[in-house]
Amino acid sequence: FSMGVSQAIVGTAAMERPDDLALWTERWPGRILVGLDARSNTVALDGWLRDSKEGLFDAAKRVASLAIAGIVYTDIDRDGTGLGPNVERTAQLARHIFPVPVIASGGVGSQAHIESIHAEKNHGVRGLIVGKAIYHGTVDLALCLAQFDQEKS
């Protein structure tokens, strides 16, 4: 943070070192997001190589009690597929920890997928990570930005 970074995402360390996460969020409140990558309802660790013993909703509730900036939730089963994000589970998660923001990740393949997540904005879903869809040209980033900037006006 002293080098100008405004926020950081912590994944496995947030799960395995909860005392450190608590210290970090005390020192930098609202600047740390927790990355929760889950296969079904189980949080995965170490780049998805192993599963934790904690379920997604329990882990989210635990970290949401700290001064985090939000949770980045990746549905492992959807990531990279282009089949669409897990809107239902993302919305459930956001409602479970409201008002802590949730950023969805995994599965975006079209403009309609972005709109489906955007529809959950009033329930605590605050963003969406889009990667492969931009690279493959199935999502037009400029169009998305224009559409959502226009909505703010």
Side-chain angles (χ1 to χ4, degrees), residues 89-111:
R89 184 164 293 142
T90 302
Q92 286 175 325
L93 182 63
R95 286 191 300 271
H96 187 68
I97 62 168
F98 191 82
V100 175
V102 173
I103 298 169
S105 176
V108 175
S110 71
Q111 178 71 21

Side-chain angles (χ1 to χ4, degrees), residues 10-127:
V10 180
T12 298
M15 297 295 294
E16 293 189 328
R17 298 167 42 196
D19 293 339
D20 286 340
L21 179 63
L23 290 172
W24 299 332
T25 59
E26 285 175 24
R27 183 168 180 191
W28 298 291
R31 297 184 72 186
I32 295 174
L33 293 113
V34 175
L36 295 178
D37 301 348
R39 190 178 291 107
S40 296
N41 189 41
T42 303
V43 176
L45 306 172
D46 294 330
W48 308 347
L49 295 177
R50 62 186 179 89
D51 292 339
S52 75
K53 293 183 171 95
E54 196 168 17
L56 173 63
F57 290 89
D58 291 337
K61 195 69 158 177
R62 177 176 57 80
V63 301
S65 69
L66 303 171
I68 63 172
I71 288 178
V72 176
Y73 162 58
T74 301
D75 183 316
I76 294 169
D77 297 323
R78 302 279 182 109
D79 195 57
T81 66
L83 298 175
N86 190 333
V87 177
E88 184 178 330
R89 184 164 293 142
T90 302
Q92 286 175 325
L93 182 63
R95 286 191 300 271
H96 187 68
I97 62 168
F98 191 82
V100 175
V102 173
I103 298 169
S105 176
V108 175
S110 71
Q111 178 71 21
H113 295 155
I114 294 169
E115 291 167 5
S116 68
I117 282 290
H118 183 69
E120 298 297 330
K121 69 180 181 180
N122 293 330
H123 301 278
V125 179
R126 292 289 180 257

